[in-house]
Amino acid sequence: MVLVFLPSKRPWPASLAGINIGRMTITFITGANKGLGRETARRLIECGHTVLVGARNREQGEEAAAALCARYVPIDVTDDASVAAAAANVAEQEGSIDVLINNAGVHGPVGDPSDLTAADARAIFDVNVIGVVRTTTAFLPLLRRSDDPLIVNVSSGMGSLALTHDPSRPESHVVAPLYTSSKAALTMLTTQYAKALKGIRVNAADPGYTATDLNGHSGPQTVTEGTDAIVALATEGSSAGTGRFVSRHGEIPWSS
């Protein structure tokens, strides 16, 4: 029997050139029931990954998993017991994972910060930062069973001091105090994990201003364009390095 592999009719962006699609990889994605997470899942499945759709909403998670031919794993990144149960579920079913994509995120209040409360801040940081810590810690034992473990944190240029002060950039025209500060914290958290977790690559992705529920679908990028950096990081070779911040246009200096 001769197997013939035909080139895809859908061109990949230049940033995805050279991706490894031959290796079966198990990837767990939080917030994968919609938006960037769901599109990331779809594209990685196209690349040959076994994808686990992590989502808090069971109905939406099961629907997404069924549509994508993936497996749904319940997870609420703000709840210790839920995250522990998700890791136990994967340990029992798959035994390990190769890639953890911390995608779940919330936006929070926009505009005048005069009325912000500690509860507002706690709600945003509990998902965007503490949720990443909670999930990463729970899944580290599963990642350490992989020959090439990788963590991708979905951050944002909205957390960049340089980009949010550059009048030519859309990031500079938005006032979202809690979202921006949480993403700044997440990019720094990424560098610290990258330094400390020996043998595990840890990188951050900036999707760019993408049309999703998070911004009322106001972004100029499609959800596919918004996942370019995430997919590129999740599919590149083990020699690509750690502690990097990547957009669909290339690497972003940490000083930016």
Side-chain angles (χ1 to χ4, degrees):
M1 180 175 64
V2 178
L3 298 180
V4 179
F5 294 90
L6 298 176
S8 171
K9 294 180 181 178
R10 178 182 177 187
W12 290 100
S15 61
L16 301 187
I19 63 173
N20 178 5
I21 63 174
R23 177 174 174 271
M24 183 61 70
T25 301
I26 300 174
T27 300
F28 185 89
I29 308 173
T30 64
N33 57 299
K34 62 180 181 178
L36 293 172
R38 180 167 176 154
E39 180 66 0
T40 298
R42 184 192 67 78
R43 294 182 68 182
L44 290 180
I45 289 169
E46 281 190 351
C47 291
H49 286 218
T50 295
V51 172
L52 306 177
V53 171
R56 179 178 58 180
N57 185 298
R58 177 174 291 275
E59 181 178 356
Q60 292 180 10
E62 289 179 343
E63 183 278 325
L68 296 167
C69 296
R71 188 170 84 81
Y72 168 60
V73 179
I75 184 169
D76 178 350
V77 301
T78 68
D79 183 87
D80 289 344
S82 175
V83 173
N89 179 306
V90 176
E92 180 180 358
Q93 297 294 319
E94 284 75 27
S96 66
I97 62 170
D98 300 291
V99 181
L100 171 64
I101 300 180
N102 287 307
N103 167 74
V106 290
H107 196 276
V110 177
D112 188 347
S114 301
D115 295 326
L116 287 180
T117 67
D120 294 330
R122 191 177 299 113
I124 303 305
F125 274 76
D126 200 20
V127 177
N128 294 358
V129 183
I130 300 170
V132 171
V133 173
R134 189 179 280 118
T135 304
T136 300
T137 299
F139 279 82
L140 273 176
L142 298 174
L143 282 163
R144 288 186 167 124
R145 296 174 187 172
S146 170
D147 292 332
D148 184 22
L150 167 68
I151 298 170
V152 178
N153 292 328
V154 180
S155 190
S156 173
M158 292 286 290
S160 162
L161 294 178
L163 298 186
T164 54
H165 285 80
D166 181 348
S168 69
R169 298 283 306 202
E171 293 90 346
S172 70
H173 304 292
V174 179
V175 177
L178 300 179
Y179 179 78
T180 54
S181 58
S182 71
K183 291 302 184 179
L186 180 57
T187 53
M188 179 56 73
L189 184 66
T190 299
T191 66
Q192 295 300 296
Y193 276 142
K195 289 179 181 180
L197 296 178
K198 304 304 179 186
I200 301 178
R201 288 179 293 130
V202 188
N203 294 306
D206 171 21
Y209 192 11
T210 303
T212 66
D213 288 350
L214 206 66
N215 54 43
H217 295 271
S218 61
Q221 288 186 167
T222 67
V223 71
T224 300
E225 291 171 328
T227 58
D228 280 350
I230 306 169
V231 174
L233 286 171
T235 54
E236 63 189 4
S238 58
S239 62
T242 188
R244 295 151 55 227
F245 190 19
V246 177
S247 76
R248 67 188 300 259
H249 302 294
E251 295 201 23
I252 303 172
W254 284 111
S255 59
S256 293

